[in-house]
Every structure is written in C-alpha cells, then in structure tokens.
Amino acid sequence: MKRVSMQDVRKTDYYYEEAIKTLLTNIKFAGKDVKTILLTSCYPNEGKSDITFSLAREMAASGKRVLLLDTDMRKSTYALRFRVAESVSGLSQFLSGQIGIADLLYSTNYENLDIIFAGPSVPNPSALLGEGIFSTLLKKLREHYDYIFVDTPPVGTIIDAAIVAQKCDGAVLVVESEAVSHKVAKKAIAQIEKSGCRTLGAVLNKVDMKKDKYYSRYSGKYAAYYEKMKEDQNEN
C-alpha cells in the first residue's frame, strides 16, 4: 500500500472537537452492523468534507481500523485541502479499469486511517458508481475495516449520493446553519431514505456561537478548562 502525508491546517476549536466526539459516540451506538457511513449535504460548501475527515481521524485515533472513501468524482478537494504533495490515483480510475485495487488504497500519517481519493473528474460518475464493480469494492473493503466513512457530492443537487446510499449502512446529513431551509433538509433526508439507507442523524454546521448566548454561557467554562489543559500539556 502506498503512503501519503495529510496536513490538517485548520485551527483548533474546542466546540468543534467536542461536537465531533459526540457525533462519533452516537455512531458507535448506532449498532455493530453500521460500518459503512455516508456523509452528504444539501448544497456544496456546507463543510461536509471537513466533518468527514474529522470523524474518520477521530475514529482511527480510538483504535478502530478506518477508511475514508471519497466518491465525489465531480469536484474532489481532499488532496488540495489537506496538502497532499504526492501524486495520487483514485476511484474514478479504478472504476473505469485503469488501475487495480493495489494502486487505489493509501495509508496516511494518521495511525489506523487509510484513504481512497476520488481521482480525476469524469463526465459520468453516477454511471460508474451504479455499476457492480463499486458494490464489489465496498464488500471487499468491509472485510478489512471497522468503519468506512464515505464522502459524497451534495444529495440536493445531483443523484450520486442516492446511488452510493443504496450500498451504505447509514447516512449523516450535514446542514449549514441559516443556509438551508427545513423543507430542503427534509427533502434531502427523504431522498436518502428512499434509497433504502438508514438516516443516522443530521449535523448542524457553521453555527455562530456568538449569537447563541445560552450555549456560549453553558459551555464557556469547559472551553476555558480545555485551554488550560492544553497549556499544561505544552509546559510538560
């Protein structure tokens, strides 16, 4: 298996990290049969890929064998966003018969975390994802990983996510705060469930904590404790 180095340049955020841990706990309690988890959104740029990566990394840090599978063969950003310097192959090349599985999987600098990149953009990703080779790939991957986090294009704009959902155990919908209407979110969930995939829940992302005074007061003391703990760790 080839190896890549990924850099998460995002600033540390107490509230975000705690929310990821809570979401991770909920996923673990979803049942032992829930191994392949799809993450999607209603629209582009709602923060879906950042949350997918954070979940995969945190789950891997807990000792589970984890794979992050990027199926967005229309507009993938993982290599660029996480500053992967190596030249990588991806899912589009595998599904079109250009490479084998040995050239598809990459280990990362995060322990227990492997990744499959989406590969170059293709004109017919939905057709490739609907073929038997993708289903066969997922079945093989399930045998080797405890959890597979599948990043898909937004379900509210194109059909790719619904096709992938047919092959997953559960789905999480990422919703940007104050950017998506209740009606649109319900429609996205209905489309996922229509594919036969169980909806595990939704994540409200990009919440302006300054506007939510109640939550800020409630969690402020924990944030202060967190910062003090980091200072103590740095001193040691």
Side-chain angles (χ1 to χ4, degrees):
M1 186 185 298
K2 299 179 181 178
R3 183 178 178 85
V4 294
S5 178
M6 304 181 73
Q7 300 179 47
D8 188 353
V9 297
R10 294 173 294 172
K11 293 182 179 179
T12 301
D13 184 282
Y14 167 81
Y15 303 111
Y16 183 87
E17 291 185 356
E18 287 302 303
I20 289 295
K21 290 177 182 177
T22 299
L23 179 58
L24 202 66
T25 299
N26 291 338
I27 288 174
K28 288 180 178 179
F29 278 104
K32 62 180 181 181
D33 58 327
V34 180
K35 296 182 61 176
T36 306
I37 301 159
L38 174 148
L39 283 97
T40 190
S41 57
C42 297
Y43 303 123
N45 304 316
E46 292 190 66
K48 163 183 57 65
S49 294
D50 282 341
I51 289 177
T52 304
F53 179 79
S54 296
L55 277 175
R57 184 182 60 185
E58 192 70 25
M59 184 70 84
S62 73
K64 301 296 184 180
R65 182 76 170 156
V66 178
L67 174 70
L68 195 165
L69 171 56
D70 183 10
T71 65
D72 191 349
M73 296 181 285
R74 298 176 188 268
K75 189 182 177 182
S76 176
T77 62
Y78 273 93
L80 179 63
R81 179 174 302 184
F82 296 102
R83 299 187 178 183
V84 176
E86 299 86 351
S87 176
V88 295
S89 302
L91 185 63
S92 61
Q93 291 156 301
F94 173 79
L95 296 180
S96 59
Q98 299 177 49
I99 62 172
I101 195 168
D103 296 315
L104 182 64
L105 283 161
Y106 292 86
S107 64
T108 73
N109 49 307
Y110 296 99
E111 189 175 4
N112 300 320
L113 176 60
D114 296 341
I115 185 170
I116 291 179
F117 294 95
S121 299
V122 292
N124 60 336
S126 56
L128 290 176
L129 291 169
E131 293 181 355
I133 186 173
F134 181 64
S135 298
T136 301
L137 173 65
L138 274 181
K139 288 179 181 178
K140 289 182 178 179
L141 293 172
R142 284 176 63 94
E143 297 174 1
H144 297 282
Y145 293 96
D146 298 312
Y147 288 95
I148 302 172
F149 290 95
V150 186
D151 190 331
T152 73
V155 70
T157 55
I158 45 184
I159 197 172
D160 299 16
I163 294 174
V164 177
Q166 296 174 355
K167 305 166 178 62
C168 293
D169 305 319
V172 174
L173 179 67
V174 177
V175 179
E176 182 179 351
S177 178
E178 300 184 5
V180 179
S181 69
H182 183 259
K183 181 179 179 180
V184 170
K186 283 186 65 177
K187 184 178 179 181
I189 291 174
Q191 189 170 349
I192 292 170
E193 294 183 340
K194 188 177 180 180
S195 70
C197 184
R198 171 186 170 191
T199 302
L200 301 179
V203 175
L204 186 63
N205 197 30
K206 299 185 181 181
V207 177
D208 188 346
M209 297 301 299
K210 293 180 180 179
K211 290 184 178 180
D212 195 333
K213 295 180 180 179
Y214 172 80
Y215 187 81
S216 296
R217 290 197 303 270
Y218 175 78
S219 55
K221 61 180 180 180
Y222 297 106
Y225 173 78
Y226 175 73
E227 293 300 327
K228 179 64 168 58
M229 183 177 64
K230 285 201 303 179
E231 290 177 4
D232 293 342
Q233 289 176 343
N234 291 334
E235 290 177 359
N236 294 333

